[in-house]
């Protein structure tokens, strides 16, 4: 969760090797559900469809019509750029953001093996250390928030703002329901 450069938060849940340091999912859902289910909040993300699905899996149903997808906004501004957050941040800000593959590569081989994964196989983030995954996630939310601030003007300059809000945002839930 991010509200700017100095206000980034990570809520540790389900870290398999660090459950004693995690917040029980029931408590997290109880606190976040009324916030995320409000209709007057803006949900910002780089491909928020993924996040909305994850929240729905826990019984948190996003209802706001104010969903801002920085991945789609960046693509509408310049369709020639790669869509992933790392490349987008590098292009716009010159910042080398860690890729998710680097984060999961920090999971030791013996831990991978213990959970039935091969040494070079991708693993779920639940096997990552809280501090490592937390920093990565806070970085993701910060850069999504920053792109939100900066792409709004660019969409307007490209005369794509109306299309973005009337087409993409309006069809977000249609796509979400189809995927669900």
């Amino acid at each position: 969760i991010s509200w700017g450069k100095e206000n980034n938060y990570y809520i540790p849940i389900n870290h398999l090797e660090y459950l004693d340091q995690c917040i029980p999912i029931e408590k997290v859902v109880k606190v976040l559900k009324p916030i995320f289910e409000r209709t007057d909040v803006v949900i910002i993300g780089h491909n928020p469809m993924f996040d909305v699905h994850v929240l729905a899996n826990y019984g948190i149903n996003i209802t706001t019509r104010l969903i801002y997808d920085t991945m789609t906004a960046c693509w509408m501004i310049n369709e020639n750029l790669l869509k992933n957050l790392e490349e987008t941040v590098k292009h716009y800000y010159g910042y080398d953001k860690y890729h998710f593959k680097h984060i999961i590569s920090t999971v030791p081989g013996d831990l991978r093996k213990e959970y039935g994964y091969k040494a070079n196989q991708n693993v779920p983030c639940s096997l990552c250390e809280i501090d490592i995954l937390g920093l990565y996630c806070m970085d993701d939310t910060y850069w999504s928030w920053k792109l939100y601030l900066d792409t709004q003007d660019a969409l307007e300059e490209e005369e794509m703002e109306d299309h973005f809000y009337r087409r993409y945002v309006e069809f977000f839930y249609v796509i979400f329901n189809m995927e669900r």
Side-chain angles (χ1 to χ4, degrees), residues 15-29:
H15 286 266
L16 298 175
E17 291 294 306
Y18 311 95
L19 289 175
D20 60 322
Q21 299 172 42
C22 292
I23 300 172
I25 189 64
E26 300 79 22
K27 287 184 179 183
V28 174
V29 170

Side-chain angles (χ1 to χ4, degrees), residues 44-71:
I44 302 163
H46 201 78
N47 187 21
M49 186 71 70
F50 172 83
D51 304 298
V52 174
H53 278 293
V54 170
L55 291 169
N57 291 343
Y58 287 106
I60 299 173
N61 299 302
I62 304 297
T63 56
T64 184
R65 302 316 259 182
L66 305 170
I67 294 181
Y68 194 95
D69 183 352
T70 57
M71 183 175 74

Side-chain angles (χ1 to χ4, degrees), residues 72-96:
T72 299
C74 290
W75 176 79
M76 290 177 75
I77 294 163
N78 183 348
E79 70 277 2
N80 296 312
L81 291 178
L82 293 173
K83 292 187 276 186
N84 70 48
L85 184 58
E86 294 81 9
E87 298 299 326
T88 302
V89 167
K90 176 73 172 169
H91 173 80
Y92 283 110
Y93 306 106
Y95 177 76
D96 285 316

